[in-house]
Amino acid sequence: MKKNQNIQVQYNQLKTKSGTHSPSLATIQDFIPDLQIKVDACFLSNPYATELFLEYFKKEILDTGKINALLEFYPSQNQIIAGFIEQRLQIDSGHIFVANGAIEAIQAIIHKYCRGKLMITIPTFSAYYEYATKEHEIVYYQLNKNENYRLDVKDYIKRVNEEKPNTIILINPNNPDGGYIKYDDLILLINELNWVENIIIDESFIHFAYEDSDMALKSVVADVINKANVYVIKSMSKDFGIAGIRCGYAIMAKEKVKDILKNGYLWNMNGLAEYFFRLYAREDFLEKYDIVRRKYITESLFFISELNQIKNIKVYPSRANFVLIELLNGSTADKVTNHLICEFGVYVRNCNDKIGLDGEFIRVAARTQKENKIIIEAIKNVVEDKNLCI
Ligand SMILES: *Cc1c(COP(=O)(O)O)cnc(C)c1O
């Protein structure tokens, strides 16, 4: 018990140091070697997709010795890699800015093209307000808790027309609540608000969303490609399970891509990322990927239904690979996350630094079936523990 208390103190110190992003698994293990983490349900990735990438990487790069060239030589330049994405998305590569993680594209767009007022829905992914500078004015659009933080499209359009921001930002499905804007509604919203100077749509979780049983992808990329004011942001970190190699891109007007690349980003991709984007263009890889995507969605749905059975919590409806959970037992997110990690080795996202959430919340990602069982048991134990209540 003493040892665990000590771990809890160390964990709190680390969390404070990390600010609005959670410490990575490696950082936690460096800082607290005694802590055994069994499941990382904080990071939001498809573990089966990571396995698939590794399978290819081993067979084609490691076992063949090609790893040597991949490390020794320069990777291709930004616009060459955009060519692989062009093959995949069937849109001209001139519209594609390849980024060292989607976060780089977010930073470039906000700093280069967004002036004046930014309207940001909250709760949200914190980079969108953290990357704003003193030249920006931020107005928040609070998602309504009584509507499970789902966007009310009509109300949103009304508010944008009143506030007249230069830039609006929507994440679909949203992080951290998994709220989903239906494809038809989003297209309507983009058309109604066509006067807005910059419309940023972040589709980083779109591979996990679905509208009917065929689980087809519902991206808006093809619909907005000719709109000079719309940007689509895409991270590959979560759906392909490869956050470590930093792959993302943004789709936008050709002149803007040209303008961004004029003063930099020539070699912002590394050899591993280039290999990934080459795979992204290949049919054999994508066929296999789509199988693990569907398998993961199906298992995640089961996981969410199991979480829904647990007492003392509210699980918010999600169309992503994670759920926002409100603690209803009088305990705090701090206590519950600490207990989950220190006693059960289950790492979840403590949402107490997220603006726009009213109450005590954690965010939990779906993992493999085996890991999901461990997560369920741990959460059950912790939220039913009377000692953890105030
Ligand atoms: C994780 C995340 C990103 C950043 O992804 P990287 O590609 O790893 O930089 C962007 N947007 C949202 C909504 C995210 O959750």
Side-chain angles (χ1 to χ4, degrees):
M1 198 61 210
K2 257 273 161 50
K3 187 174 152 198
N4 279 342
Q5 274 169 1
N6 198 17
I7 289 176
Q8 291 212 5
V9 172
Q10 287 177 305
Y11 178 69
N12 279 337
Q13 288 169 346
L14 184 61
K15 167 83 180 122
T16 312
K17 275 192 190 169
S18 305
T20 47
H21 293 278
S22 304
S24 76
L25 212 54
T27 309
I28 296 177
Q29 270 154 0
D30 286 345
F31 197 79
I32 321 172
D34 284 339
L35 181 56
Q36 293 287 320
I37 297 181
K38 283 194 214 144
V39 183
D40 181 354
C42 179
F43 178 54
L44 310 166
S45 77
N46 178 352
Y48 302 122
T50 312
E51 276 171 23
L52 177 67
F53 176 74
L54 262 177
E55 206 179 287
Y56 270 82
F57 185 67
K58 186 174 177 306
K59 194 169 74 198
E60 298 184 351
I61 304 293
L62 293 179
D63 293 352
T64 57
K66 285 187 181 157
I67 183 69
N68 210 314
L70 195 135
L71 296 178
E72 187 174 4
F73 303 122
Y74 274 88
S76 299
Q77 296 180 4
N78 191 295
Q79 278 304 285
I80 302 289
I81 296 179
F84 304 131
I85 303 171
E86 168 181 300
Q87 288 173 38
R88 164 75 182 117
L89 300 183
Q90 300 291 310
I91 55 166
D92 188 324
S93 63
H95 285 282
I96 306 167
F97 170 56
V98 191
N100 191 261
I103 202 98
E104 187 176 58
I106 295 171
Q107 185 180 335
I109 291 167
I110 292 187
H111 290 177
K112 217 167 165 72
Y113 297 114
C114 304
R115 304 269 166 261
K117 219 186 228 190
L118 308 180
M119 192 155 117
I120 296 173
T121 50
I122 48 172
T124 189
F125 178 61
S126 62
Y128 283 110
Y129 57 86
E130 286 172 352
Y131 285 7
T133 68
K134 56 181 188 313
E135 285 165 33
H136 298 110
E137 178 197 347
I138 297 179
V139 282
Y140 290 117
Y141 178 85
Q142 173 69 57
L143 294 166
N144 191 341
K145 185 178 181 181
N146 296 327
E147 287 168 35
N148 292 327
Y149 296 113
R150 207 182 357 230
L151 187 89
D152 177 336
V153 173
K154 273 202 187 122
D155 185 68
Y156 181 79
I157 292 174
K158 186 167 152 272
R159 180 76 195 287
V160 174
N161 281 320
E162 287 163 7
E163 285 284 350
K164 307 218 175 337
N166 303 78
T167 300
I168 59 174
I169 298 160
L170 290 168
I171 306 172
N172 196 37
N174 194 30
N175 179 4
D177 50 273
Y180 178 66
I181 311 164
K182 278 198 176 145
Y183 171 82
D184 289 344
D185 290 341
L186 188 53
I187 295 292
L188 179 129
L189 182 154
I190 292 168
N191 289 333
E192 291 263 322
L193 295 175
N194 202 27
W195 60 266
V196 178
E197 202 178 313
N198 301 298
I199 301 180
I200 300 177
I201 309 288
D202 186 328
E203 291 194 336
S204 292
F205 295 96
I206 202 73
H207 284 209
F208 304 121
Y210 53 90
E211 293 197 3
D212 37 47
S213 53
D214 74 354
M215 292 187 198
L217 275 182
K218 288 285 188 183
S219 165
V220 296
V221 166
D223 304 272
V224 301
I225 194 70
N226 291 318
K227 289 182 181 286
N229 60 336
V230 181
Y231 308 74
V232 180
I233 305 277
K234 182 78 189 79
S235 170
M236 318 311 281
S237 296
K238 317 325 185 344
D239 37 18
F240 288 89
I242 50 160
I245 60 175
R246 315 302 301 125
C247 294
Y249 56 83
I251 309 289
M252 62 186 112
K254 283 185 180 178
E255 307 74 60
K256 285 177 177 156
V257 174
K258 223 189 233 166
D259 190 37
I260 289 180
L261 293 175
K262 204 166 64 192
N263 308 104
Y265 305 105
L266 184 63
W267 275 302
N268 62 340
M269 290 288 97
N270 61 69
L272 288 176
E274 174 171 356
Y275 176 63
F276 169 76
F277 279 123
R278 283 175 184 273
L279 286 179
Y280 190 53
R282 272 169 52 181
E283 283 307 319
D284 60 317
F285 176 75
L286 276 169
E287 265 170 36
K288 288 187 180 140
Y289 167 71
D290 206 47
I291 294 169
V292 296
R293 181 180 75 89
R294 286 161 195 270
K295 168 183 153 105
Y296 180 59
I297 294 176
T298 311
E299 290 181 10
S300 301
L301 284 173
F302 180 73
F303 174 61
I304 294 172
S305 73
E306 293 277 291
L307 284 169
N308 268 310
Q309 313 285 319
I310 300 176
K311 290 190 202 86
N312 297 335
I313 58 173
K314 171 170 173 166
V315 179
Y316 282 74
S318 167
R319 287 273 163 114
N321 62 329
F322 54 85
V323 281
L324 183 68
I325 296 180
E326 185 172 9
L327 306 168
L328 303 174
N329 63 346
S331 189
T332 62
D334 274 342
K335 276 191 192 172
V336 168
T337 28
N338 280 12
H339 216 69
L340 281 171
I341 197 167
C342 299
E343 301 289 329
F344 295 90
V346 171
Y347 185 32
V348 303
R349 177 67 155 87
N350 179 345
C351 293
N352 70 354
D353 60 303
K354 287 263 172 206
I355 53 176
L357 284 176
D358 176 23
E360 293 294 328
F361 292 88
I362 58 173
R363 190 194 63 199
V364 180
R367 299 291 305 167
T368 63
Q369 269 177 319
K370 197 171 137 219
E371 289 174 308
N372 290 345
K373 280 201 186 111
I374 299 173
I375 301 169
I376 297 274
E377 275 316 302
I379 292 182
K380 237 187 222 164
N381 259 288
V382 170
V383 298
E384 285 168 8
D385 184 343
K386 298 252 180 324
N387 296 325
L388 279 183
C389 302
I390 292 163

